[in-house]
Amino acid sequence: DALIADLDDAVLTATAAGGCEALPPGDAWDGRSFAVLNRGTPGCVVTSSGDLYMSLMRSCTGWPSGIWVDPPRRTAPDGSAFQLQRWTHEFEYAVVAGAGDWRDVRLPQAGHEFNHPLTARLRASTQQGTLPRKFTLLALEPAGEVVLDALKPLGSPLARGSAVPVDPGRGVVVRLHEVNGRPVRARIRGPRDWAEGARADVLEAPGEELTPERDGGLALDLTGFEVATVLATPGTASASPTGPGTAAHEPAQPLHTRYWLHNSGPAPRGNIPVSVYLSPGTLTVSGPVTATVRVGSELTDAPVSGTVGFEVPPGWTAEPAELPYALGPGGFTLAEVTVTPPPEPEPGRHWLAARLEYGGQTYEDTVALDVADGQYGPTLVSALGVERISVRTGERVQVPVTVRNTTQGPINGTLWAVSSWGTWAGVEPGCQGFTVAGGAEQECVIEVDGSAVAPGSYWLLAKVAWNGCVAYTEAVALEVTP
């Protein structure tokens, strides 16, 4: 799994997809510079003797990928760990050399060209007209000495906790850096003249103003290797975006505010601008019990107000039944809710749920209400309804997933389809929500599209999360045949 090149003798002792031209032997390397350009490769090391070592693939089978946190431990159908998945890898690399130092050979530019090749796509259009022979959407000067790192609509609400939506009509953000380690006067030109500009930090807070030049471009001085962020406002406002952007909603509602307990990665889409939390997580009920309610806002530039609603089991009462809140930027509030059971509540586990709505999403946190003499154990039991999945190209197969609620109250949860790399386009939905009543069983469905997966042997399992708990079904073999 390593590519070893003896640069003195121009010998490549291992090969990879894409090939490589032989390098000049012996002292022809004197006064020359070279670089190895690769796509998706961890990196390479050149020794003082002139040997080049390139690691093509690394996989950690120990901590953390080899550790299973939530029992029971799950494996692929053959008993191997999931991080030992087997598939075909393709590696592309090139060796670039030339006279002079790395600046003369323009190695940074060559690297960007190799890793970001120019591609074109033909799109049908009903609009009539003739395109110009040459048109610049964005140009950075001096060409090759200043490289574009990012181009995005103005606005960073998730990073700043802002209530202001992203809108390219208000401007764009250009992040660029100098590649040669030398001071340079950089210029940014767009498809239209810039009306105004400013340097900014990574959170897009404006700083030094940049006055557009006569040709409508923006100019700024960069030191060697400096990374700069520029806010640029076009002279003519463009149309507002039509997509949801950062306001996109999660497919499973409501969202559990303690999302990290679901081992689901980063925060839900849109983060959690306004959150509600209940504590403690479990209350033993033999009479009225009290839980603490916390409502907090992550918004930094806008107030927020609303109502927290409480859901209790039938025959139980909550005081107050709902909790109004009004918070300033970054504010929070503390309150209490008292839950009173009926004279003879049903033994077992019940639930107190607190919910609020913001931005079209519902946020929820829960407290377990335990009544003595009930049966305790896993509150939700899940399983795949098949032992093996076989699908032909052109066919679709539905895989049932059962979830059984062992508690006395309803549970809102999320189900993810988890499968081998290379199958994701044909396994859907990747995420879905469900609500299962107390003591009931519900069936969810995962569909496998054989037309979207290359023939081969894979695996599939389901992950289920609810009320701060997470469980995984056993993995089953997934075979796609022609």
Side-chain angles (χ1 to χ4, degrees):
D1 62 351
L3 170 67
I4 305 174
D6 186 331
L7 301 183
D8 289 332
D9 298 329
V11 175
L12 297 180
T13 59
T15 61
C20 180
E21 296 182 1
L23 303 175
D27 58 4
W29 280 101
D30 294 342
R32 297 171 66 89
S33 298
F34 72 94
V36 177
L37 311 179
N38 52 78
R39 297 186 183 132
T41 305
C44 62
V45 175
V46 180
T47 67
S48 58
S49 62
D51 293 334
L52 166 68
Y53 295 85
M54 180 185 294
S55 174
L56 296 182
M57 182 172 61
R58 291 198 295 263
S59 178
C60 176
T61 56
W63 179 269
S65 61
I67 304 301
W68 191 268
V69 177
D70 301 293
R73 179 180 176 84
R74 299 303 191 189
T75 67
D78 62 1
S80 64
F82 293 113
Q83 71 269 26
L84 296 178
Q85 299 177 47
R86 296 175 291 276
W87 53 68
T88 298
H89 296 268
E90 294 184 2
F91 303 92
E92 298 182 10
Y93 65 89
V95 178
V96 177
D101 67 8
W102 57 272
R103 296 182 181 89
D104 298 326
V105 185
R106 295 172 63 87
L107 293 184
Q109 295 85 344
H112 281 278
E113 292 172 1
F114 183 75
N115 282 282
H116 306 286
L118 180 65
T119 59
R121 181 175 61 179
L122 181 64
R123 296 183 60 184
S125 176
T126 58
Q127 297 181 351
Q128 301 296 321
T130 302
L131 292 175
R133 297 292 299 173
K134 184 177 180 181
F135 185 71
T136 300
L137 293 175
L138 184 74
L140 301 183
E141 300 170 351
E145 297 182 35
V146 181
V147 174
L148 178 70
D149 295 316
L151 173 64
K152 61 177 287 293
L154 179 64
S156 185
L158 297 187
R160 298 175 55 240
S162 174
V164 180
V166 171
D167 183 1
R170 296 188 295 113
V172 296
V173 176
V174 181
R175 186 164 294 120
L176 63 156
H177 77 275
E178 195 280 331
V179 301
N180 290 329
R182 296 168 174 168
V184 69
R185 179 74 170 176
R187 297 182 74 255
I188 305 172
R189 294 189 296 110
R192 300 187 182 96
D193 293 349
W194 303 115
E196 57 184 55
R199 298 189 66 145
D201 59 19
V202 293
L203 295 182
E204 303 178 16
E208 174 192 356
E209 292 188 3
L210 302 176
T211 302
E213 298 184 332
R214 287 187 175 182
D215 63 354
L218 294 174
L220 66 156
D221 293 317
L222 299 178
T223 60
F225 300 128
E226 181 181 0
V227 179
T229 300
V230 175
L231 310 182
T233 303
T236 303
S238 59
S240 297
T242 57
T246 58
H249 296 165
E250 289 285 348
Q253 299 286 332
L255 301 175
H256 193 68
T257 53
R258 303 177 193 265
Y259 60 89
W260 56 89
L261 297 178
H262 290 175
N263 192 25
S264 58
R269 278 178 281 189
N271 276 343
I272 302 184
V274 186
S275 57
V276 58
Y277 297 101
L278 294 174
S279 60
T282 304
L283 289 170
T284 300
V285 179
S286 57
V289 291
T290 299
T292 300
V293 185
R294 293 174 172 85
V295 183
S297 171
E298 288 192 356
L299 301 177
T300 59
D301 54 12
V304 64
S305 60
T307 301
V308 176
F310 300 105
E311 182 176 299
V312 294
W316 298 48
T317 61
E319 179 58 40
E322 59 181 25
L323 177 66
Y325 64 88
L327 305 175
F332 75 98
T333 184
L334 291 175
E336 291 184 338
V337 57
T338 299
V339 178
T340 303
E344 295 183 2
E346 185 76 19
R349 172 159 287 184
H350 303 259
W351 302 98
L352 163 66
R355 298 191 188 102
L356 62 80
E357 294 187 0
Y358 179 84
Q361 300 201 104
T362 302
Y363 301 95
E364 177 187 76
D365 196 18
T366 59
V367 169
L369 304 173
D370 288 344
V371 179
D373 300 327
Q375 293 183 348
Y376 300 104
T379 55
L380 203 65
V381 179
S382 58
L384 287 178
V386 296
E387 295 182 355
R388 183 180 182 84
I389 305 168
S390 181
V391 58
R392 293 181 179 180
T393 301
E395 292 182 343
R396 288 178 175 265
V397 171
Q398 291 189 339
V399 181
V401 184
T402 58
V403 287
R404 179 168 57 87
N405 184 354
T406 66
T407 72
Q408 302 296 326
I411 289 179
N412 299 308
T414 304
L415 186 148
W416 290 269
V418 184
S419 58
S420 304
W421 181 86
T423 67
W424 302 335
V427 177
E428 57 185 16
C431 175
Q432 58 184 298
F434 65 86
T435 299
V436 55
E441 182 175 283
Q442 182 173 320
E443 183 177 284
C444 302
V445 173
I446 298 173
E447 189 169 75
V448 180
D449 182 2
S451 299
V453 181
S457 297
Y458 309 94
W459 53 262
L460 180 145
L461 61 83
K463 171 189 169 183
V464 181
W466 70 100
N467 295 356
C469 303
V470 64
Y472 300 81
T473 69
E474 291 186 1
V476 300
L478 166 59
E479 183 178 7
V480 180
T481 58

